[in-house]
Each structure stands twice: as structure tokens, then as C-alpha cells.
Amino acid sequence: MPRISPHFLELFDANGAPRGVLLSAELWERCKDQVLPPLTKALYVLDPAARPEPEVRPEPLQEWETLLAYWDFTYPPAYDVHCDCCGAATDDWRADEPRKFRLRNANLGGLVTFQCAGCKALVLKKHFKKHLTVECKPYVDKG
């Protein structure tokens, strides 16, 4: 690259360490379609907080209500949720505002899943006829 150009300028600090690059609007317009996708991908690796939040789906509360309507387990439903990954906890996930845990799924087989708002871990409550088991799986970024 040329060291001095009205379209491309490498920026250095007082010690000579690279600080960035300045592109003219004309140069950016000519190359942004090819350059922006890899730049965006690299940015998300360097700064995960820059990644846009995914669209939040509504909680499947009707599925939860269906499970409760057909509840035939030998114990009452439990509304407490605890995240083993970050320590977040609530006595009643339905009453929290804002939610500490979002309902992700509930089915008639007794599997109820929640996502921790703090660390995004998945909390699985598996309801069996006579007992309940709880698992916590850490969040894994698939992007």
C-alpha cells in the first residue's frame, strides 16, 4: 500500500504502533461489499458485545399451561429455577420482572427448559412420574 494517499491512510501512535486505517468515502464505496463481511466476522471475534442481539421469541406460555392442565405427577409443580453456571436463582420464574429466566420450551413429556438471562445457560427441568431432575448446560455460541 502507498504510505501517503488521499484514499488510504494508515494511522500510528507516537511510538509507531499501528492504531488504525482511514479510508476515503470513495475507496470505501468501491470495496465495502467485499471487505465488510470479513471485517464484521473479525469484529465479533474481537468484540463479542458488538454482535447484535438476536430477535427474542415470545415465551411459549401456552405450552406451559398445557403441561399444567395435564399434570399427573406425584408432586406439585415447582416454579423455582437455579443456574449452576452463574448462580442466578428465583423462587418463581413467572413473577420476575425483568425475567431472570425465560421459558424456552415445555412439553407434555415433562421436559421444561429455561434460558438464564445472565449467562444464557440452558436449565433443563425433567419431570418424571415420582421425581424431578435439573441440569444446567453452559451457553455455547454457534456464530
Side-chain angles (χ1 to χ4, degrees):
M1 270 299 148
R3 292 192 68 71
I4 299 175
S5 168
H7 299 287
F8 181 90
L9 180 63
E10 291 181 281
L11 305 173
F12 299 91
D13 66 13
N15 296 324
R19 299 297 297 161
V21 176
L22 180 65
L23 304 176
S24 70
E26 296 87 1
L27 180 58
W28 179 246
E29 281 302 316
R30 287 181 180 238
C31 69
K32 77 176 177 183
D33 291 339
Q34 294 82 28
V35 173
L36 193 56
L39 277 177
T40 303
K41 187 174 181 180
L43 172 65
Y44 294 161
V45 171
L46 292 173
D47 186 8
R51 184 183 299 270
E53 287 294 320
E55 191 174 317
V56 178
R57 296 182 322 190
E59 290 180 290
L61 296 175
Q62 185 58 46
E63 293 175 13
W64 172 255
E65 294 299 326
T66 300
L67 174 61
L68 291 180
Y70 291 95
W71 192 272
D72 64 347
F73 303 115
T74 59
Y75 50 89
Y79 302 105
D80 63 311
V81 183
H82 179 269
C83 178
D84 291 335
C85 295
C86 72
T90 182
D91 291 330
D92 187 347
W93 63 270
R94 305 165 303 163
D96 293 335
E97 195 56 48
R99 289 258 204 260
K100 294 179 185 175
F101 298 92
R102 289 185 47 82
L103 179 67
R104 294 288 306 265
N105 187 32
N107 66 40
L108 286 175
L111 177 62
V112 181
T113 59
F114 298 91
Q115 185 168 32
C116 177
C119 69
K120 297 185 180 179
L122 204 58
V123 179
L124 293 85
K125 295 182 97 173
K126 298 177 181 180
H127 298 86
F128 296 97
K129 195 69 172 171
K130 296 183 179 181
H131 72 282
L132 167 72
T133 64
V134 180
E135 293 178 26
C136 188
K137 296 186 177 192
Y139 175 73
V140 177
D141 186 11
K142 295 182 175 127

